[in-house]
């Protein structure tokens, strides 16, 4: 089956089922995972579907849907580990940093557990728990208050107010999606406010996002692509996505 025929068949399935998983399409069409992802990327770039973590939906379903932390944590594990390891290399002992909520930042917290004299500001319960359990005694963890979300983030006016008084060297920001038109996005309006407060309190912004986040669009924009000083992603990103992101963010880092 030629690519246009396969993509037409995939589009028909998505419109019928409303949502599909990459793994199911791999079995159904007898092609590789990467081939299916390229097909979904092509359909998304043409505005025919919406990409989500691990699959795709008809347009309009994913913008305000927030998967839980446990569901997201099992996806793209190898990619998140590689991204987190590269991000950790940016952190110097004795600095003040912030980690947003997210599964990639939770992996990053494990990589930072042995960094001496670190001060970490976070609105993520899993991040705080990792550093409390495994971190050094000379580290300081500042956990914002707020209302808990499905992704185990603390958000809302209390979190925003707390972040308004703080200043850090680096923010590591996990995102729900990233796209050329909408920038970095999230499906939770209160989390968007809190993430924007995190961006304001940081001298430099480092976005950590695996390739599945490309062309996924949440309901609210956290930051434009140009606001990222560094974007760390993985080799699953398409050449077109690398071209767009490389021309918009301060530095694009692609890890294997």
């Amino acid at each position: 089956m030629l690519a246009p025929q396969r993509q037409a068949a995939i589009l028909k399935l998505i419109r019928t089922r409303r949502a599909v998983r990459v793994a199911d399409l791999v079995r159904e069409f007898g092609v590789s995972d990467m081939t299916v992802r390229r097909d979904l990327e092509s359909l998304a770039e043409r505005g025919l579907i919406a990409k989500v973590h691990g699959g795709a939906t008809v347009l309009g379903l994913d913008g305000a849907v927030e998967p839980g932390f446990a569901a997201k944590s099992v996806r793209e594990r190898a990619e998140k580990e590689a991204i987190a390891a590269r991000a950790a290399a940016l952190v110097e002992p004795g600095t003040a940093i912030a980690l947003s909520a997210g599964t990639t930042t939770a992996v990053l917290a494990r990589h930072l557990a042995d960094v001496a004299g670190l001060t970490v500001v976070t609105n993520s319960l899993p991040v705080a728990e990792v550093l409390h359990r495994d971190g050094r005694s000379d580290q300081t963890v500042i956990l914002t208050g707020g209302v808990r979300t499905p992704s185990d983030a603390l958000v809302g006016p209390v979190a925003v107010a707390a972040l308004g008084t703080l200043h850090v060297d680096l923010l590591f920001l996990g995102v729900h999606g990233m796209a050329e038109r909408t920038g970095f996005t999230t499906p939770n309006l209160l989390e968007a406010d809190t993430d924007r407060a995190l961006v304001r309190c940081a001298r430099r912004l480092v976005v950590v996002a695996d390739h599945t986040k490309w062309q996924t669009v949440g309901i609210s924009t956290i930051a434009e692509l140009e606001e990222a000083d560094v974007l760390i992603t993985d080799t699953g990103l398409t050449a077109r996505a690398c071209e767009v992101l490389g021309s918009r963010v301060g530095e694009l880092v692609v890890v294997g």
Side-chain angles (χ1 to χ4, degrees), residues 22-238:
V22 169
D24 293 337
L25 295 177
V26 167
R27 286 192 296 270
E28 196 144 349
F29 290 94
V31 294
S32 69
D33 180 281
M34 188 57 66
T35 295
V36 168
R37 291 187 185 278
R38 280 197 296 265
D39 287 338
L40 296 180
E41 181 77 25
S42 175
L43 292 170
E45 286 183 346
R46 287 148 57 194
L48 298 173
I49 63 168
K51 282 185 65 184
V52 297
H53 302 298
T57 70
V58 292
L59 285 174
L61 282 188
D62 70 321
V65 176
E66 183 176 13
F69 182 87
K72 291 189 291 184
S73 64
V74 299
R75 300 166 179 164
E76 284 73 46
R77 284 178 172 173
E79 290 88 341
K80 290 172 183 176
E81 283 288 345
I83 290 167
R86 182 62 181 84
L90 300 177
V91 179
E92 298 289 340
T95 54
I97 66 171
L99 271 65
S100 77
T103 51
T104 306
T105 51
V107 176
L108 173 57
R110 288 197 286 101
H111 287 264
L112 298 175
D114 199 41
V115 179
L118 203 59
T119 297
V120 180
V121 175
T122 187
N123 69 320
S124 166
L125 293 168
V127 165
E129 177 59 27
V130 167
L131 294 173
H132 173 74
R133 184 183 66 241
D134 302 327
R136 294 169 54 105
S137 60
D138 60 358
Q139 291 181 340
T140 300
V141 178
I142 301 170
L143 182 62
T144 69
V147 178
R148 188 171 184 166
T149 72
S151 60
D152 286 346
L154 296 177
V155 302
V158 172
V160 171
L163 291 167
T165 66
L166 302 174
H167 307 281
V168 298
D169 300 302
L170 285 173
L171 164 63
F172 294 95
L173 178 70
V175 298
H176 173 76
M178 54 184 178
E180 187 172 6
R181 181 177 60 85
T182 55
F184 302 108
T185 59
T186 175
N188 186 304
L189 291 174
L190 288 177
E191 188 160 4
D193 283 341
T194 306
D195 283 345
R196 284 192 287 267
L198 280 164
V199 171
R200 288 193 296 270
C201 81
R203 186 169 57 86
R204 297 184 73 217
L205 169 60
V206 181
V207 176
V208 287
D210 66 71
H211 68 277
T212 65
K213 308 297 177 68
W214 179 244
Q215 297 293 39
T216 296
V217 178
I219 195 171
S220 184
T221 295
I222 303 164
E224 299 299 331
L225 297 179
E226 288 81 2
E227 294 180 64
D229 294 289
V230 183
L231 168 61
I232 305 177
T233 186
D234 66 88
T235 52
L237 207 62
T238 65

